Amino acid sequence: MVTLSRIERSARMGLIKSMNTTPELTMRRLVDMLGYRYHIHEQTLPGRPDLVFPRRHKVIFVHGCFWHRHNRCQLARLPKSRPKFWLPKLEKNKMRDSAIRSALTRQGWRSLVIWECELRDPVRVMIKTLVFLED
């Protein structure tokens, strides 16, 4: 087992992007293939949703399974090192996500979460997105 120093770990964590991630770009390509127009990272909305469909009053979040604690997903496993640090941090992310979606609902927006692991089946994601956007 390779253990990184605090400086090495910090540098590695600093490389993780919060926007324009691979799953997010994959989702954008799928939505483009469906022919929908959207905005990205709308700063005026709670949580800066990944994809925003203003005329439809709908938003899509593309969540990483690890960072957003996808239930019963292999990618959401807790790191073995420093669980006292990781568990509260990741649970706080999950609570924040819930609060953001509630705030959007109060403002009249409907939201959909697409999980990183779901993007392994693009056809299923496209159908799920189409149903959401046309509902």
Side-chain angles (χ1 to χ4, degrees):
M1 179 168 105
V2 177
T3 311
L4 300 175
S5 70
R6 275 188 180 266
I7 294 170
E8 291 168 327
R9 174 71 59 205
S10 178
R12 184 168 291 174
M13 296 304 284
L15 294 174
I16 297 172
K17 300 186 296 182
S18 63
M19 291 189 287
N20 301 320
T21 62
T22 301
E24 186 180 328
L25 295 175
T26 300
M27 185 63 194
R28 285 191 212 163
R29 278 191 293 277
L30 295 176
V31 172
D32 286 339
M33 288 170 55
L34 291 171
Y36 290 96
R37 306 280 297 166
Y38 54 88
H39 297 186
I40 58 172
H41 310 294
E42 183 62 48
Q43 294 180 6
T44 60
L45 293 176
R48 294 178 64 176
D50 298 312
L51 290 92
V52 179
F53 303 85
R55 283 186 227 137
R56 297 173 185 278
H57 245 64
K58 295 183 181 184
V59 299
I60 295 177
F61 290 98
V62 182
H63 283 341
C65 296
F66 173 77
W67 293 107
H68 298 270
R69 305 295 293 152
H70 188 197
N71 291 334
R72 289 177 252 118
C73 178
Q74 263 187 308
L75 300 176
R77 65 187 175 279
L78 193 63
K80 292 179 182 175
S81 64
R82 300 182 61 211
K84 288 182 181 176
F85 166 79
W86 283 108
L87 190 57
K89 177 180 182 62
L90 297 173
E91 286 301 318
K92 191 167 93 176
N93 287 353
K94 197 171 184 176
M95 289 172 47
R96 183 190 64 227
D97 293 340
S98 179
I100 287 168
R101 291 187 70 195
S102 293
L104 285 165
T105 300
R106 283 191 303 275
Q107 292 180 16
W109 291 83
R110 293 192 51 217
S111 61
L112 172 69
V113 173
I114 299 294
W115 293 97
E116 171 186 13
C117 64
E118 288 182 291
L119 290 167
R120 293 177 185 159
D121 186 351
V123 173
R124 189 172 181 183
V125 170
M126 288 175 77
I127 292 168
K128 185 176 180 177
T129 303
L130 190 58
V131 168
F132 171 70
L133 292 174
E134 291 300 322
D135 181 28

